[in-house]
Amino acid sequence: MLAIRGMNDILPENIRAWQHVEHHACALLGAYGYEEMRPPMVERTELFRRSIGEVTDIVEKEMYTFDDRNGESLTLRPECTASLVRAAIQHGLLRTPGRRVWTMGPMFRYERPQKGRYRQFHQIDVEIFGVGGPSAEAELILLSRRLWTALGISGLALELNSLGSRAIQARYRTRLVEYFSAHASMLDADSARRMETNPLRILDSKNPSMQALIEEAPRITDQHDAQARAHLDQLLAMLDEAGVAYRLNPRLVRGLDYYTGTVFEWTTSELGAQDAVCGGGRYDNLVSEIGGPACPAIGFAIGLERLVALLETQSVELPAAVPHAWLASNGDRASILAHAVAESLRDAVPELRLVVDAVPGSFKAKLKRADRSGARIALLIGDEEARSGTIAVKDLRARVPQSMVSIDDLAGHVARNVLTQ
Ligand code: HAM
């Protein structure tokens, strides 16, 4: 039996990269005042339809939707902004303005799997509720930049756009429809359909034959009013002041309909077609649209598979978690003693990474495994040692003779010889 297409097993040899990302993200988010929360992975289908938008690829063709035994339509979350907003409303989190939250976990989209695009993938999702000004945008961008640095990743580029208010989007929609109608013969089938339903999505088309037409299309920034322009100008001033490089991209529309105002993406040229490592933006209407109070909000999500792939592409060195010591026993008495010795060592030296070899067999085979593990020393207990209360300590990395250490002195010996090197 194999895993489902587009859903990956994350294996022990890859887990260090994941933990590297999770560890730094968790520490950094905590340091900036963000609180973790964990909404469920399944929500009512209606929540995603209403928030992401009926006429988006996600809702039209990518959701894992099913009826539960009660006949209620549920969906595996394709993203979690909607879930966080739902939870924030439900639990009164929005009563404190400026609340910062984050979550991490798997998302599900029935996309065509390819490198960097999966049906189960993972995001770290970060949101700020109740801040309408560009300070929220600036903080999210600076926080993500700091995360790339902490992870040892370089070369990500920031793209920015502002979609403006719903009124601006409506005006822009009219301009776009006029433009694309005048070039109707050049539209592919998908774009022709989108003309009727969601013309902004045409700008998102990846079809090469559409690119020239899209390039010449009117720009949303031309529809901005004074408020939208001032908001964007202030944000750009903050980014300039903080030394963040960015590219304004008037074609950046994102794949979800809830955005109003600023949208942004961090992209890479090192992963092929799936180049967005992180994407987000402002969604000032969503909270009230799904039953909450008027509340501006903004956030982003990082695609962890893509970030982990980038760690590999850029050969980022990951902190090793090899054991310090490998304890092997041989013989009935010795194997009874082994765990007791290991536990008292762990009590005495809490930072010690110690593996007890549980595979039956000869010392020779156990020493081979110890060596392969990268451990610094092997601790060997045979029945003879068990009787005399001693342990043979073998340095696996230096050519020094094996020494016999009494069990009482073992913790001191290990701490001196292993942890200090
Ligand atoms: P999104 O752009 O749909 O935004 O996804 C964010 C990131 O998740 C993408 O940039 C990408 O790295 C990763 N991603 C998306 N789909 C896949 C996939 N099929 N396979 C692998 N990685 C994928 C959102 O989800 C919004 N909720 C972000 C947000 C938060 N906006 C405001 N707050």
Side-chain angles (χ1 to χ4, degrees):
M1 195 99 81
L2 300 178
I4 294 164
R5 197 163 111 84
M7 303 202 180
N8 301 315
D9 297 306
I10 302 170
L11 298 173
E13 58 257 39
N14 303 122
I15 206 70
R16 266 200 294 150
W18 286 80
Q19 290 175 345
H20 177 65
V21 172
E22 290 162 9
H23 165 79
H24 282 285
C26 188
L28 207 59
L29 285 159
Y32 274 71
Y34 288 75
E35 301 166 286
E36 185 181 358
M37 55 189 277
R38 300 185 183 182
M41 258 172 259
V42 181
E43 299 273 357
R44 290 193 178 80
T45 304
E46 187 56 19
L47 175 68
F48 299 118
R49 285 190 173 285
R50 276 170 57 188
S51 54
I52 297 170
E54 294 278 354
V55 196
T56 54
D57 281 351
I58 297 179
V59 169
E60 282 185 335
K61 17 184 212 206
E62 296 172 1
M63 295 208 299
Y64 282 89
T65 296
F66 59 97
D67 285 350
D68 74 1
R69 286 171 190 278
N70 252 339
E72 185 164 24
S73 180
L74 304 181
T75 294
L76 291 184
R77 63 182 184 192
E79 60 108 50
C80 59
T81 305
S83 310
L84 291 175
V85 170
R86 196 261 318 130
I89 297 169
Q90 182 174 339
H91 301 287
L93 266 57
L94 304 175
R95 279 184 224 126
T96 325
R99 197 84 188 241
R100 300 167 161 100
V101 298
W102 70 279
T103 196
M104 174 167 68
M107 312 291 151
F108 304 87
R109 295 184 193 174
Y110 193 80
E111 296 197 74
R112 199 167 49 76
Q114 55 175 259
K115 184 168 171 272
R117 189 162 75 189
Y118 307 104
R119 290 181 174 170
Q120 176 180 304
F121 60 97
H122 297 75
Q123 288 184 344
I124 289 176
D125 185 284
V126 181
E127 312 287 350
I128 304 178
F129 297 124
V131 180
S135 148
E137 274 93 331
E139 176 171 300
L140 290 175
I141 289 169
L142 293 169
L143 164 63
S144 45
R145 179 179 69 163
R146 187 169 295 276
L147 180 61
W148 316 143
T149 310
L151 293 174
I153 285 176
S154 56
L156 287 183
L158 176 64
E159 295 198 11
L160 275 175
N161 191 18
S162 170
L163 301 179
S165 61
R166 290 280 185 244
I168 291 172
Q169 290 176 19
R171 278 206 301 276
Y172 182 53
R173 189 188 157 107
T174 309
R175 292 285 99 71
L176 269 187
V177 170
E178 283 166 9
Y179 170 79
F180 285 123
S181 302
H183 300 86
S185 62
M186 294 166 76
L187 295 178
D188 63 12
D190 206 35
S191 301
R193 194 173 56 85
R194 299 251 134 134
M195 275 281 279
E196 308 299 322
T197 53
N198 196 343
L200 244 80
R201 289 266 79 75
I202 299 175
L203 301 179
D204 230 7
S205 165
K206 300 284 179 284
N207 185 347
S209 72
M210 290 283 301
Q211 295 313 309
L213 188 62
I214 289 172
E215 194 47 46
E216 294 302 315
R219 298 168 172 226
I220 194 155
T221 33
D222 295 335
Q223 301 302 323
H224 279 182
D225 54 19
Q227 199 188 344
R229 238 184 323 252
H231 188 107
L232 183 60
D233 286 349
Q234 247 184 313
L235 169 61
L236 300 185
M238 288 174 187
L239 297 180
D240 289 338
E241 191 65 32
V244 180
Y246 53 82
R247 186 172 81 86
L248 287 173
N249 175 3
R251 320 267 166 237
L252 180 65
V253 287
R254 312 262 309 122
L256 307 101
D257 276 354
Y258 50 61
Y259 293 111
T260 53
T262 315
V263 288
F264 62 94
E265 277 181 0
W266 287 96
T267 59
T268 171
S269 55
E270 295 174 55
L271 295 180
Q274 305 309 314
D275 61 353
V277 170
C278 169
R282 181 167 279 290
Y283 51 95
D284 287 346
N285 296 2
L286 181 61
V287 178
S288 60
E289 278 167 8
I290 57 180
C295 176
I298 178 166
F300 67 72
I302 299 169
L304 295 189
E305 278 75 5
R306 295 182 193 175
L307 204 54
V308 165
L310 213 49
L311 287 173
E312 193 171 316
T313 311
Q314 299 193 354
S315 307
V316 172
E317 246 188 76
L318 299 170
V322 295
H324 296 115
W326 190 273
L327 190 147
S329 62
N330 199 344
D332 293 343
R333 255 186 108 110
S335 59
I336 287 171
L337 195 61
H339 275 296
V341 170
E343 286 306 297
S344 48
L345 255 184
R346 289 173 177 132
D347 286 342
V349 191
E351 61 273 48
L352 185 71
R353 290 192 296 272
L354 168 67
V355 175
V356 176
D357 193 326
V359 184
S362 65
F363 269 134
K364 191 170 165 217
K366 288 172 199 264
L367 275 169
K368 223 184 202 163
R369 272 195 294 280
D371 190 40
R372 243 184 286 131
S373 77
R376 169 89 217 190
I377 56 166
L379 308 172
L380 308 172
I381 320 177
D383 278 346
E384 190 49 47
E385 286 82 10
R387 253 188 300 276
S388 62
T390 55
I391 293 218
V393 181
K394 185 172 172 55
D395 194 318
L396 296 167
R397 309 291 148 205
R399 286 184 169 278
V400 292
Q402 183 167 308
S403 55
M404 297 303 291
V405 178
S406 102
I407 289 181
D408 293 340
D409 298 337
L410 190 61
H413 182 90
V414 167
R416 270 193 311 280
N417 291 287
V418 179
L419 293 186
T420 53
Q421 313 213 353

